[in-house]
Amino acid sequence: MTTAAAPGNDGSGSLAWARRRDSLARFWRAYRTHRAGLYGLAGLAVIALIALTAPLTVGGNIQSVTSAPGSALESPSGQFPLGTDQFGRSLLGLLIWGARISLAVGLLAAALSVAIGTLVGILAGHYGGWLATALMRITDWFLVMPTLVLAIVLATVMSHSVWTVILAIGVTSWPTTARLVRAQTIAVESRPYIERARALGGGHRHIMSRHVLPNVMPLVLAQTTLGISNAILTEATLAFLGLGDPTVVSWGGMLQDAREAGAVSSGHWWYLAPPGIAIALVALSFTLCGRAVEAVLNPKLGVR
């Protein structure tokens, strides 16, 4: 006598995981054809490794002003490869430690921005009508307002902390994602299988979560990688303007400290160049990865 297969043991789960693995393998094979994307990914891997191992390589006391090992504004030497700041702290150690804050702010702010934009875009594209009109008018208002100005306003009226910077960047940089996701949602919902899902009794939540969201995720992924570099640049700008968290070390905060110490007028280039170059390299790496991901997920763009 044969026994009926238990629910969940029919191999459907294994088949789904096998399809995901095949999709990832195809994605990686296509991604490897973009040399610039590989360079960007390698650069991000090195920077992420440096940031994660910062507590082991430089230690948490690198931010201490009272136990600074050097004198103020020493030029690069064997003991201090990048020189020291106005308090005598090693700029190399500060640069490594600041990578943690800059990368964390960029990732979290971009994730918040993309989450808001995806939600607004899917709701506007799915429901349409007065809701879409209201959401798109709000989106247009955020688009015409300068993102940096709005972020400065939010960072000024709220307490100076890392979470304030993340919130200020996230809630002001989502409109572009919202418009792209809305257009993609409208295109997806015009396909025949959406009509079949509605005819079979699929509700709004089912259609948006099971049909629309998986089809817009490639666009969301590409937009996230491109948004991280903008978030890091915005964080550096806010910190340079004195609107960041003064209790933590970030690359933008290092530039602000260098400006206050008179590094520009006194010619202390070693105080200004390292954090500026680090910001440029991280932004370039994320941009290269984003363009490669976008080209893989949307071959019609022809981006190489």
Side-chain angles (χ1 to χ4, degrees):
M1 181 181 296
T2 59
T3 59
N9 294 330
D10 57 354
S12 59
S14 301
L15 181 60
W17 279 108
R19 289 176 177 174
R20 293 189 182 100
R21 287 194 296 268
D22 291 341
S23 297
L24 290 175
R26 289 195 300 270
F27 173 83
W28 175 243
R29 286 195 297 269
Y31 187 93
R32 287 187 303 177
T33 62
H34 298 269
R35 184 175 300 177
L38 291 177
Y39 290 154
L41 185 62
L44 291 180
V46 172
I47 295 171
L49 180 63
I50 292 174
L52 292 174
T53 58
L56 301 177
T57 55
V58 299
N61 61 346
I62 188 65
Q63 304 180 69
S64 176
V65 177
T66 57
S67 59
S71 57
L73 298 175
E74 289 188 30
S75 59
S77 61
Q79 183 180 2
F80 303 108
L82 297 181
T84 62
D85 65 355
Q86 73 268 36
F87 302 111
R89 298 176 297 181
S90 173
L91 286 176
L92 178 60
L94 293 175
L95 188 71
I96 294 174
W97 191 265
R100 297 167 60 87
I101 299 299
S102 296
L103 289 179
V105 170
L107 291 170
L108 294 176
L112 177 61
S113 172
V114 170
I116 297 174
T118 301
L119 178 62
V120 172
I122 290 179
L123 290 177
H126 176 78
Y127 287 103
W130 66 268
L131 179 61
T133 301
L135 291 176
M136 287 299 99
R137 296 298 77 78
I138 295 173
T139 302
D140 292 339
W141 184 84
F142 275 94
L143 278 174
V144 299
M145 290 294 293
T147 301
L148 182 58
V149 174
L150 292 176
I152 290 174
V153 171
L154 288 177
T156 302
V157 300
M158 300 175 67
S159 61
H160 289 189
S161 66
V162 173
W163 294 108
T164 298
V165 174
I166 293 173
L167 183 64
I169 298 173
V171 301
T172 57
S173 57
W174 56 267
T176 302
T177 303
R179 294 185 67 89
L180 292 174
V181 171
R182 175 179 177 268
Q184 184 69 9
T185 300
I186 294 174
V188 169
E189 296 211 357
S190 65
R191 297 171 183 172
Y193 67 86
I194 299 294
E195 293 296 330
R196 290 196 295 268
R198 289 196 178 100
L200 292 173
H204 296 294
R205 181 177 179 182
H206 173 80
I207 292 175
M208 287 189 293
S209 61
R210 300 297 297 272
H211 297 289
V212 176
L213 184 60
N215 282 280
V216 302
M217 280 306 296
L219 176 64
V220 171
L221 177 61
Q223 192 66 20
T224 302
T225 55
L226 293 172
I228 293 175
S229 60
N230 293 330
I232 291 176
L233 291 173
T234 305
E235 184 276 333
T237 303
L238 293 176
F240 179 75
L241 295 175
L243 300 175
D245 190 346
T247 62
V248 299
V249 175
S250 68
W251 293 336
M254 292 177 65
L255 291 175
Q256 163 67 4
D257 293 339
R259 185 183 66 82
E260 291 182 348
V264 177
S265 58
S266 58
H268 296 145
W269 58 267
W270 61 87
Y271 204 166
L272 291 167
I277 294 175
I279 293 171
L281 288 178
V282 171
L284 176 62
S285 298
F286 273 113
T287 301
L288 292 177
C289 289
R291 286 177 57 85
V293 170
E294 194 174 20
V296 171
L297 299 178
N298 189 2
K300 294 180 180 179
L301 295 176
V303 180
R304 296 298 301 172

